[in-house]
């Protein structure tokens, strides 16, 4: 059977078809994750942007459940890796084993040979094992014993880690963190959602009864649709300016990489498509700035002493960076003019 590679995706879908497929996945995940619609939609956007997701939060808020719910909502190959200190790189990528019958080595694929790879507590594995994910996350291939194996599409790594308990863990290196398209936090549920959780999760785990509502072929078509979303030159320039601001900020000793600019734009395309648009707004970049940029940057010693988090630094940069002056109306926007001299999507300026 021929594997679907990274470029084997379709083109633009009818809006109703895209909306129905994406809403079905979100609704299915929300059977398990209560009151976190924005987080669920962002996780789906990262999948459609062909990226990888890092879920970082305190214990017990549903990090692994979100990852498993997203994986189970799609009828495709799923592998789960429980990262431990004794996990080996060959457990992740695969290993060549000698076959005594054929007198030759046979390659046995590791856990990354799946459409969705769930890595639980990724920072509990040694740096040697963590680095086994570098090639597959960036190049969507695995090289073992000089032989390169292509991975299927869609391919997504969803990793979780606990930022509170750091004993016996190995912080992810910057090269690893930069490969994650976005970092999200679950946060505590509001009282209404937590009360509903007691009713829905008290007797049985809804994850056990979750059934797929999509498949790998449909996701490939959704990805193809997202690739066709229009990005105006002014919006591209705004994305570059936003990333450049992190490199020039006096509060940061390491800014965001060019890879970040690419992933910011790809994720903005996915968010625009999920919102029913075939064009990207600067507002999409502003919403995505913290989850896409904050985990890639390193604050200075002074900023750390002032207890300034990377989230706060990025949010401040977004607030201070002026919006594009040339916010021309998108040629894909078919809505009538608003009658006030502004494009229908342009926010009112103070």
């Amino acid at each position: 059977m021929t594997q679907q590679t990274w470029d084997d995706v379709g083109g633009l879908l009818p809006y109703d078809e895209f909306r129905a497929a994406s809403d079905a996945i979100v609704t299915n995940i929300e059977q398990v994750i209560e009151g976190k619609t924005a987080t669920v939609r962002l996780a789906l956007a990262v999948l459609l942007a062909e990226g990888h997701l890092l879920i970082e939060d305190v214990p017990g808020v549903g990090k692994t459940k979100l990852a498993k719910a997203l994986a189970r909502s799609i009828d495709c190959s799923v592998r789960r890796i429980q990262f431990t200190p004794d996990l080996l790189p060959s457990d992740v990528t695969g290993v060549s084993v000698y076959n005594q019958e054929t007198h030759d080595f046979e390659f046995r694929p590791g856990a990354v040979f799946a459409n969705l790879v769930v890595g639980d507590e990724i920072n509990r594995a040694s740096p040697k094992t963590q680095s086994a994910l570098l090639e597959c996350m960036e190049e969507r291939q695995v090289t073992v014993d000089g032989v390169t194996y292509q991975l299927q599409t869609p391919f997504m790594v969803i990793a979780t880690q606990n930022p509170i308990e750091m004993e016996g863990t190995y912080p992810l290196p910057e090269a690893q963190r930069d490969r994650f398209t976005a970092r999200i936090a679950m946060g505590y549920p509001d009282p209404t959602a937590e009360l509903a959780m007691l009713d829905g999760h008290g007797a049985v785990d809804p994850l056990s009864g979750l059934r797929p509502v999509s498949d790998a072929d449909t996701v490939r078509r959704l990805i193809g649709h997202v690739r066709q979303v229009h990005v105006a030159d002014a919006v591209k320039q705004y994305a570059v300016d936003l990333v450049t601001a992190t490199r020039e900020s006096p509060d940061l000793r390491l800014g965001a990489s060019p890879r970040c600019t690419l992933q910011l734009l790809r994720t903005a395309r996915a968010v625009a498509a999920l919102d029913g648009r075939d064009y990207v707004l600067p507002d999409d970049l502003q919403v995505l700035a913290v989850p896409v940029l904050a985990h890639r940057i390193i604050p200075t010693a002074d900023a750390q002493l002032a207890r300034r988090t990377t989230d706060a630094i990025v949010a401040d940069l977004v607030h201070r960076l002026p919006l594009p002056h040339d916010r021309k109306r998108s040629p894909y926007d078919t809505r009538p003019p608003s009658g006030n001299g502004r494009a229908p999507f342009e926010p009112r300026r103070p």
Side-chain angles (χ1 to χ4, degrees), residues 32-113:
V32 179
I33 305 297
E34 300 278 353
K36 295 293 180 182
T37 302
T39 302
V40 171
R41 286 173 62 86
L42 181 54
L44 178 59
V46 172
L47 170 63
L48 300 185
E50 302 165 89
H52 309 286
L53 183 64
L54 178 63
I55 309 175
E56 184 178 292
D57 213 328
V58 297
V61 293
K63 300 186 299 294
T64 306
K65 277 192 179 297
L66 172 60
K68 294 176 70 174
L70 176 59
R72 292 192 182 186
S73 296
I74 302 170
D75 186 14
C76 60
S77 57
V78 179
R79 297 291 294 273
R80 183 182 188 276
I81 310 173
Q82 183 64 53
F83 282 86
T84 57
D86 60 347
L87 191 72
L88 297 176
S90 58
D91 298 327
V92 177
T93 59
V95 64
S96 296
V97 179
Y98 184 74
N99 189 327
Q100 294 185 349
E101 295 182 359
T102 61
H103 302 287
D104 198 2
F105 284 92
E106 294 181 353
F107 177 68
R108 295 189 178 178
V112 296
F113 284 84

Side-chain angles (χ1 to χ4, degrees), residues 227-293:
R227 287 185 182 182
Q228 303 301 318
V229 172
H230 174 73
V231 184
D233 291 340
V235 177
K236 294 178 183 177
Q237 185 62 54
Y238 182 68
V240 172
D241 293 342
L242 186 57
V243 174
T244 302
T246 65
R247 302 167 190 163
E248 299 174 349
S249 172
D251 293 325
L252 300 174
R253 61 184 179 92
L254 177 66
S257 66
R259 180 193 287 127
C260 174
T261 314
L262 288 170
Q263 295 183 347
L264 177 63
L265 212 58
R266 290 173 183 169
T267 313
R269 281 192 170 106
V271 168
L274 291 175
D275 284 346
R277 289 181 277 108
D278 47 14
Y279 53 89
V280 175
L281 300 176
D283 311 70
D284 299 324
L285 302 179
Q286 290 182 323
V287 170
L288 292 169
V290 171
V292 175
L293 273 68

Side-chain angles (χ1 to χ4, degrees), residues 329 335-345 348:
R329 181 167 177 162
R335 293 176 293 177
S338 60
N340 56 6
R342 294 183 289 115
F345 54 80
R348 188 182 305 276

